[in-house]
Amino acid sequence: MPELPEAEAARQRIEAGALNRTITGVFLGEVSHMSLPSADELAGFVGTQFTRTQRHGKYIFAGSKDGPWLHIHLGMAGSLRVVDTDETPPKYVRLSIAFEGGTQLLFRDPRKFGHIQLIEDVEAFIDGKGLGPDALQIGDNAFANRVGTTRGAIKSALLSQKKLAGVGNLWADEALYQTGIHPEARACDLPTGKIASLHGTMRDILGAVIDTGAVYSKLPEDWLIHNRKVGAACARCDGGEITVKKVGGRSSYHCPAHQMRND
DNA sequence: TTTACTGTTAGGAC
DNA sequence: TGTCCTAACAGTAA
């Protein structure tokens, strides 16, 4: 369920279990219709080590010291794990990278929306994609200028990776829910104080999810994530009921009782 | 059997 | 030119 916190948790797993270990083999699974490097290209990593990682928004990078970077995007359903080589692999593993010492990094992606690419330069890649600042790094002014000035729905602004990188449907809904803003509210009409508190809430949410390793059951009970279905009782106000509405083409779960519109 | 889904992107409308 | 919306991508689960 990959947005920024899931990507960051995955990056940390690479950092903890796959860094500075010699790569002994790279294996592709069933990858029809997927955008991945060829087996020959990936074979270039054998004998080398990943020595550093980076993340920008939902984009993960693992690099060898002087060689190319492996860029991984988890798509809609991808995940990364480090497991022992003798462990039975789960279904839908698209790429596995084996390391000296008996561990391997697995890229699992049932829906095949993820992709992997070899790149030379992370900054150039981010520029080329036109990604905005990382949602955890963006400053108050930049957030206000990029998100708070949008003429469309605030929900759509949060989802735009060009305005800020890393927020997806799930955590956009959570941030608006906890800040008390209706997903359809026009961003540029929101008071500056509301934009500032949205920024703070969003940062807190992303940080808290990362702290759990993106294990949702460890998140506080009054978060929307635990009541994300139509008709559920709102945990933040008396008598509120969760409803869903398409905003910018995405299902937007919210509580109309405490999430205010501004038009 | 039908429908929806947490992401990205190309193409079209305004 | 900029901004926004929709459809499409592939596979699974409800």
Side-chain angles (χ1 to χ4, degrees):
Chain A
M1 303 142 199
E3 298 179 31
L4 184 152
E6 294 79 9
E8 174 61 16
R11 187 196 67 79
Q12 291 177 6
R13 268 179 251 127
I14 297 174
E15 193 87 16
L19 222 54
N20 303 316
R21 294 165 193 249
T22 301
I23 295 169
T24 56
V26 182
F27 310 97
L28 288 171
E30 198 286 290
V31 295
S32 56
H33 304 288
M34 290 186 75
S35 170
L36 298 182
S38 68
D40 280 350
E41 290 174 294
L42 291 166
F45 280 106
V46 174
T48 69
Q49 300 184 341
F50 293 128
T51 57
R52 51 195 172 155
T53 63
Q54 276 192 50
R55 180 196 55 73
H56 189 95
K58 309 170 190 175
Y59 295 75
I60 303 165
F61 308 91
S64 46
K65 198 168 183 182
D66 300 308
W69 291 80
L70 191 65
H71 153 57
I72 300 171
H73 193 289
L74 299 174
M76 286 277 261
S79 61
L80 286 175
R81 284 176 57 206
V82 178
V83 302
D84 288 339
T85 308
D86 54 14
E87 198 171 298
T88 309
K91 285 179 77 175
Y92 313 121
V93 170
R94 308 302 177 188
L95 173 72
S96 60
I97 300 176
F99 300 96
E100 211 168 46
T103 60
Q104 57 182 341
L105 176 66
L106 301 183
F107 169 59
R108 184 175 175 272
D109 185 13
R111 288 182 67 187
K112 295 183 166 181
F113 271 89
H115 46 90
I116 295 180
Q117 216 179 317
L118 300 184
I119 63 167
E120 293 302 323
D121 186 311
V122 172
E123 296 309 317
F125 175 84
I126 292 168
D127 284 350
K129 288 277 179 196
L131 295 177
D134 184 82
L136 275 183
Q137 306 292 331
I138 189 170
D140 289 338
N141 288 338
F143 186 86
N145 290 334
R146 290 174 157 270
V147 176
T149 58
T150 308
R151 289 189 291 276
I154 183 69
K155 167 79 180 272
S156 303
L158 286 176
L159 289 183
S160 165
Q161 303 300 299
K162 291 182 165 49
K163 294 186 189 301
L164 82 171
V167 177
N169 202 33
L170 214 52
W171 303 124
D173 278 0
E174 189 71 54
L176 294 171
Y177 175 80
Q178 293 191 21
T179 317
I181 299 173
H182 194 282
E184 286 179 309
R186 250 166 78 100
C188 61
D189 291 344
L190 288 164
T192 41
K194 208 72 176 163
I195 291 291
S197 81
L198 173 63
H199 180 208
T201 306
M202 176 197 77
R203 209 170 30 205
D204 290 348
I205 289 170
L206 297 176
V209 179
I210 291 167
D211 286 345
T212 68
V215 177
Y216 300 166
S217 58
K218 294 182 182 173
L219 294 167
E221 280 177 20
D222 64 345
W223 281 31
L224 177 65
I225 184 83
H226 301 302
N227 299 296
R228 214 169 183 281
K229 51 180 181 261
V230 174
C234 175
R236 299 227 163 191
C237 68
D238 268 341
E241 199 173 88
I242 304 301
T243 60
V244 69
K245 193 164 199 175
K246 291 274 184 203
V247 181
R250 318 294 300 185
S251 297
S252 299
Y253 289 83
H254 63 286
C255 167
H258 85 269
Q259 291 181 250
M260 297 301 160
R261 305 178 55 102
N262 57 1
D263 55 10

